[in-house]
Amino acid sequence: MERLAIGLVTLLIVAIVVFSATALLPGDVAEVLLGQAATPEAVAGLRTAMHLDDPAPIRFVYWLLGLLRGDLGQSYVNNLPIAELIGSRLPNTLKLAGITAAIAVPLSLFLGITAAVARGKAYDRVVSIMTVGVISVPEFMTATLAVLVFSVWLGWLPALSHLSNVDSFGGLLRAYAMPVITLTFVISAQMIRMTRASVIETLDSPYIEMARLKGASPTRVILRHALPNALGPIVNAIALSLSYLLGGVIIVETIFNYPGIARLMVDAVATRDLPLIQSCAMIFCVGYLLLVTLADIVALMANPKLRA
């Protein structure tokens, strides 16, 4: 119950921050919608019709009550229900996140565990250097390099992800390859480092030494004794990395023109579609909190000492 209460308070604080941040965006929504040729009277009338002249606290309360009822409001630009707009894009983002997670998580666990077992050897040094190098490169640079290598130089993959033109399994792979490669590079590095550090710390524990003295095989030591006790930090690293897929794909979806919710949010910022921006931001925050809460639950289940 305590964690649930903390989560609800966090969501309220996030809602306040999101609403305040969008209210501080430069430009007038009414002027953007009507264009530069609009008369001051028309702009004033539209602002009144959209309740933009109401005090910010009143607008926040109405918006928050709408969220609690499940009413995300109406898009300023498209004049469509925001739930309908998000509903058409959210599955694409979740699909991209699911494919990336299915590749990145097993790959990160394998590299992190094997690097920990081979600590100090050439393999461990190579993996560590690669992860540090990947962490040092921002995602927009990784995406740009992927376009240069796979699209421009090699010509293997398309630079943009057009899901509407996918009519075969091969076309599906080509459409998802570039975003998935980029996101896998971005989120795997941190998971590899956290997995390696957690497994090394566990392997240095006295009970691991006792298991070795009793004649347990290296495989049994890793799978039966080390991994269960290292699961908590690993799961937290995975949850934090996967939470990036819900909110941090903005750059990736924009560069590759991927029709997801992050790209929808970028377009909403360009057109000052405040309700749409706020709804997308809240979805990202809810997803992040769910993943972090799930990580805490798994960590508690894996380590009963934390329950006290």
Side-chain angles (χ1 to χ4, degrees), residues 97 100-102 104-110 113 187-195 227 230-246 287-288 291-292 294-296 298:
T100 303
V105 172
L107 177 64
S108 301
L109 292 178
F110 173 78
I113 293 171
I187 71 170
S188 294
Q190 191 63 35
M191 282 193 285
I192 293 172
R193 287 174 59 85
M194 289 296 297
T195 300
L227 278 183
L231 187 61
I234 292 175
V235 171
N236 274 284
I238 292 175
L240 291 175
S241 299
L242 293 184
S243 65
Y244 169 86
L245 296 175
L246 298 176
Y288 176 84
L291 285 172
V292 172
L294 179 62
D296 289 340
V298 174

Side-chain angles (χ1 to χ4, degrees), residues 95 107 209 228 293:
K95 192 181 300 181
L107 177 64
E209 186 65 26
T293 303

Side-chain angles (χ1 to χ4, degrees), residues 69-254:
R69 296 194 306 267
D71 181 13
L72 301 181
Q74 201 86 355
S75 170
Y76 287 165
V77 177
N78 300 287
N79 199 26
L80 293 173
I82 292 177
E84 180 180 333
L85 294 173
I86 293 179
S88 64
R89 295 290 193 96
L90 184 58
N92 292 337
T93 295
L94 294 178
K95 192 181 300 181
L96 176 61
I99 295 174
T100 303
I103 297 174
V105 172
L107 177 64
S108 301
L109 292 178
F110 173 78
L111 292 177
I113 293 171
T114 53
V117 173
R119 175 176 36 169
K121 298 181 180 179
Y123 175 79
D124 179 33
R125 288 194 291 269
V126 170
V127 173
S128 298
I129 292 173
M130 290 177 57
T131 54
V132 171
V134 172
I135 290 176
S136 303
V137 179
E139 57 269 18
F140 72 87
M141 181 62 70
T142 303
T144 303
L145 291 175
V147 172
L148 288 175
V149 173
F150 295 107
S151 297
V152 178
W153 294 345
L154 300 177
W156 292 351
L157 300 171
L160 301 178
S161 297
H162 296 296
L163 300 185
S164 57
N165 298 329
V166 174
D167 54 0
S168 64
F169 182 72
L172 183 66
L173 291 179
R174 287 172 57 84
Y176 278 98
M178 296 289 279
V180 169
I181 289 173
T182 302
L183 290 174
T184 299
F185 268 95
V186 171
I187 71 170
S188 294
Q190 191 63 35
M191 282 193 285
I192 293 172
R193 287 174 59 85
M194 289 296 297
T195 300
R196 177 185 178 277
S198 180
V199 173
I200 287 177
E201 182 180 356
T202 306
L203 289 176
D204 291 336
S205 302
Y207 62 86
I208 296 296
E209 186 65 26
M210 181 63 67
R212 288 170 175 162
L213 293 175
K214 289 182 177 180
S217 64
T219 303
R220 181 180 178 85
V221 169
I222 295 295
L223 298 180
R224 190 68 180 270
H225 299 283
L227 278 183
N229 292 280
L231 187 61
I234 292 175
V235 171
N236 274 284
I238 292 175
L240 291 175
S241 299
L242 293 184
S243 65
Y244 169 86
L245 296 175
L246 298 176
V249 294
I250 295 177
I251 293 177
V252 172
E253 289 191 2
T254 302

